[in-house]
Amino acid sequence: MGFDWTNKTALVTGASSGIGRALSVELARRGARLGLLARRADALQGALREIESGGGRATALVADVRDVGAVRRAVESLRQAFGPIDLLIANAGIGDETPATKFDLARAAEIVSINLIGAMNCVGAVLPEMVARGEGHLVAISSLAAYRGLPRSAAYSASKAGLSTFFESLRVDLQGTGVAVTVIHPGFIRTPMIAQRRAPVPYLLDLPEAIERIVAAIEKRKRSCAFPWQLAATVKLLALMPAPLYDLLMARTQKARRR
Ligand SMILES: NC(=O)c1ccc[n+]([C@@H]2O[C@H](COP(=O)([O-])OP(=O)(O)OC[C@H]3O[C@@H](n4cnc5c(N)ncnc54)[C@H](OP(=O)(O)O)[C@@H]3O)[C@@H](O)[C@H]2O)c1
């Protein structure tokens, strides 16, 4: 028998666009009740309408994940609407280049505070109740960029490496409590975030295929999931490479990109 999503309450951050919105629509279609969190109220209303027109149940929660008080209020209003939260999908994030020779500290700090501290704020708001109830599931949408410091991506790679190790430590600590933890490491997925990117996007996946992979990993309560396999295998190999060899390879890819 398949996973039963009926009467499960899920909080999805970054639900106004891309992966978060598509994942929310799919989980609602499977019977879950959704809390849709993001900053843009109008875009959240679009996601809400899409879910409700398909017969699903959701509530829009306008909040910035960097704002601890706003996140706590959003979580409380979701509990009041649908009861205890079974699943957190910490997906809200931004991606941008932060090249070292033109280092922009404000932008780098913004990336880390949304992608990493924002996720911690959401965990802080849902985890105590999950532990007290002896059930729940925390999911992080990290990235293949977490495996190694990628060129021109110091802040993004750092934020995603931090996110992955943060959730991994939680997983170890939460063994035996009934709370599961899953870290998803996607490669490139066709979303508004990727539309702005100037650098190449090898093995680009369409959203429906990516959502299928993510939902399957959540339903199986996998510890971790990386896709597509071609890019996942490449970054895992890069992670094992000695630093001098890695630097040489990255210098070559950057030179080829400038040509
Ligand atoms: N697309 C890819 O290739 C790819 C690959 C690997 C990992 N990822 C990760 O997947 C996640 C979703 O990315 P996406 O591709 O779906 O991008 P997207 O379409 O740009 O969506 C990003 C979402 O994050 C929300 N968000 C950003 N800052 C926020 C904040 N301060 N507070 C609350 N919500 C915030 C945005 O909503 P508002 O602007 O309305 O707040 C939006 O809903 C990100 O964490 C990204 O790093 C993406």
Side-chain angles (χ1 to χ4, degrees):
M1 231 177 64
F3 188 90
D4 185 9
W5 283 98
T6 39
N7 298 325
K8 292 266 187 293
T9 298
L11 170 62
V12 179
T13 71
S16 60
S17 169
I19 297 170
R21 176 171 174 158
L23 200 49
S24 300
V25 169
E26 180 55 26
L27 296 186
R29 196 187 64 77
R30 290 173 186 235
R33 301 175 294 211
L34 269 296
L36 312 171
L37 188 147
R39 293 166 301 180
R40 285 170 296 155
D42 51 342
L44 280 181
Q45 284 306 318
L48 186 61
R49 274 195 300 276
E50 188 179 349
I51 288 174
E52 289 180 340
S53 66
R57 294 178 70 191
T59 184
L61 307 162
V62 179
D64 186 321
V65 289
R66 289 169 294 185
D67 180 342
V68 187
V71 168
R72 287 194 186 282
R73 286 191 294 278
V75 162
E76 207 32 61
S77 97
L78 178 58
R79 284 195 188 112
Q80 274 170 18
F82 296 141
I85 297 167
D86 299 290
L87 172 69
L88 164 69
I89 302 181
N91 162 79
I94 58 170
D96 200 3
E97 294 197 336
T98 49
T101 50
K102 293 181 197 147
F103 190 66
D104 180 344
L105 174 61
R107 185 61 172 158
E110 188 183 13
I111 292 170
V112 174
S113 69
I114 293 175
N115 295 6
L116 176 56
I117 311 295
M120 289 182 182
N121 289 339
C122 298
V123 167
V126 301
L127 184 56
E129 193 202 44
M130 287 180 178
V131 172
R133 289 172 62 222
E135 58 180 312
H137 194 170
L138 304 174
V139 177
I141 306 296
S142 184
S143 165
L144 290 180
Y147 283 85
R148 193 109 207 206
L150 296 181
R152 306 173 68 87
S153 305
Y156 188 70
S157 271
S159 72
K160 293 301 186 179
L163 185 66
S164 295
T165 51
F166 173 67
F167 273 74
E168 180 160 67
S169 286
L170 293 179
R171 192 186 72 225
V172 171
D173 290 352
L174 290 168
Q175 290 180 97
T177 64
V179 181
V181 180
T182 300
V183 184
I184 311 277
H185 295 99
F188 297 110
I189 303 170
R190 203 183 301 277
T191 68
M193 181 186 281
I194 284 303
Q196 300 160 8
R197 195 181 149 92
R198 289 179 302 275
V201 284
Y203 304 107
L204 179 66
L205 286 184
D206 284 325
L207 254 179
E209 193 181 343
I211 296 304
E212 205 177 295
R213 302 293 301 266
I214 295 170
V215 172
I218 295 173
E219 289 185 346
K220 288 182 191 139
R221 293 194 152 213
K222 279 193 162 185
R223 291 176 173 82
S224 136
C225 163
F227 62 89
W229 71 265
Q230 299 93 327
L231 213 52
T234 306
V235 295
K236 285 177 184 178
L237 206 64
L238 288 176
L240 297 173
M241 214 174 251
L245 194 57
Y246 178 69
D247 290 1
L248 197 69
L249 194 68
M250 290 303 111
R252 287 210 178 148
T253 55
Q254 290 307 291
K255 209 166 154 190
R257 195 183 142 185
R258 280 195 295 271
R259 266 197 223 120

